[in-house]
Amino acid sequence: MPTSKMDNPNEDYKIQSFDLETQKLLKTALKEPSAVDLEKVSNVIVDQSLKDPVFSKEAGRICYTIVQAEAKHNGNVFRRNLLNRLQLEFKAREETRLRSRQEWVCFVTFICNIFDYLKVNSMPMVALVHPVFDCLFRLAQPDSLNNEEEVDCLVLQLHRIGDQLEKMNSQRMDELFYLLRDGFLLQEGLSSMARLLLLEILEFRAGAWTLSDTAQKYYYSEVND
Amino acid sequence: MSFRQKSKCADGEYNGDENRNRGPSKWSNCRKRGADGSMRSNGDVDSTSTSDLKKSNPTHKHPDNRPVSFTTPESGGPVSRCTDWGSEVETDEMRTSVRRDMQRRRILTADFGPRERTNSSGSSDSRDSPVPGEGMEDDEEVLMRRQKQINYGKNTLAYDRYIQEVPKHLRQPAHPKTPNKFKKYSRRSWDQQIKLWKVKIHAWDPPAQQGSELQAIEEVDLDDIMDIELDFPELDSDASAQPVKVTKAPSSQLDTCHGTPSKMIKMEASVDLDMV
């Protein structure tokens, strides 16, 4: 995951949306985790992820770097705080969704991003598998399928981590896709965009988490002739 | 393998089968009750996501109140009652690390088995790998407990400073050496080794004051003071004690940690030679 672009944390981690003081805090955390209050850092990151759709899509990366930096000295305070905070947000997700769809969508994006980036001995975190599935199942419910923002979130996560999730628990993935098929076929009032997104993800998984060339052309080429 | 229930989080590990089941999960069969015997609480709002599923899928677990810690068959069995993700991930990480270490150890000792027998038992090599005759410690619960103790010792500023100052190739017998968790030891013997090891690491505790004198001492090259032997009056009462070779910042140690040197000596006296 670390790339050569790490020399320029500002641009890579998309922390421009933070105020300057917080940016400084984060930059220090990236280099010298023991020098900062890591609980505060994790809260700052989670808070922003819930508010900022752009940040939530890639916040996993900055978390990964801080975890690695701390692990060099056998510490894991940041990861522990981050996960426990995530757990709180997870428990409160239904209220979050009622309060603000965007915040709910940001949360799902963020937790999936964490699942993607934060591995344990090169394996995904087992503790997150069921919670992530729970979130995706929630997004596959009729009321969520009627909301394009949520459908978009659902298919985005499946594109990014679907294959990893399936490896961790293929049974639940099967069940999720029963729901998606049902939704696509049976749900009245589904917007055409939603139907498009669902059809694409159905094909995507059927192709073992990749699109055939022709399907790619169909869905992603704007100029069809 | 016995199941031990401990009050400390993540200590009560059950040694179920070692396979991490990644396929169609068995979590429905492994579903355990919470402490009060119930599976879910009353306050759960999540009916929308479960009510439909429950009919078509009896194995779906209730998201909020599933006792997370009991239902991770992918990790090989029920774990402690601790349900926070932080602890769960830590435990999982330790378990996978220990398993990986075990595999590595098995392969390495299998490869070098014949060579090891020719080593004299008094050499430090015998500590690096288990003597083939005795077998390796392979009880996962024991290994994880030992690894946790080791991690506590390593997660200190003193240890950080130690490994930065003394690269492995410069280590001498008197330097702290991490006990080998794969060797068979009694519980008491192991705990004693850990204690001694941690005491030795304390020699690298950061100084309490930042006086220029102390700083000068810390910058002394290790090789210069390697063979200093310090005599302490208490030593006479423990006749069998080896002279202690204190290698790092002995003066600052005396200044800031009065008890440590004599403690080290007293403990050395009662300890097996080859545990050093």
Side-chain angles (χ1 to χ4, degrees), chain A residues 14-68:
Chain A
K14 304 205 192 318
I15 63 176
Q16 308 92 318
S17 46
F18 290 95
D19 63 72
L20 285 175
E21 195 188 317
T22 312
Q23 284 192 40
K24 214 174 100 179
L25 173 71
L26 292 175
K27 282 193 236 178
T28 315
L30 285 165
K31 298 218 183 78
E32 251 196 274
S34 49
V36 296
D37 178 352
L38 290 170
E39 184 181 346
K40 179 170 178 198
V41 171
S42 67
N43 282 326
V44 153
I45 291 176
V46 175
D47 288 340
Q48 187 67 16
S49 303
L50 297 179
K51 287 191 293 207
D52 180 351
V54 171
F55 186 68
S56 67
K57 288 199 171 91
E58 284 297 330
R61 205 186 298 172
I62 191 174
C63 293
Y64 170 80
T65 308
I66 298 176
V67 169
Q68 295 300 106

Side-chain angles (χ1 to χ4, degrees), chain A residues 6-18:
Chain A
M6 292 239 307
D7 307 329
N8 202 350
N10 259 349
E11 297 190 34
D12 244 4
Y13 301 118
K14 304 205 192 318
I15 63 176
Q16 308 92 318
S17 46
F18 290 95

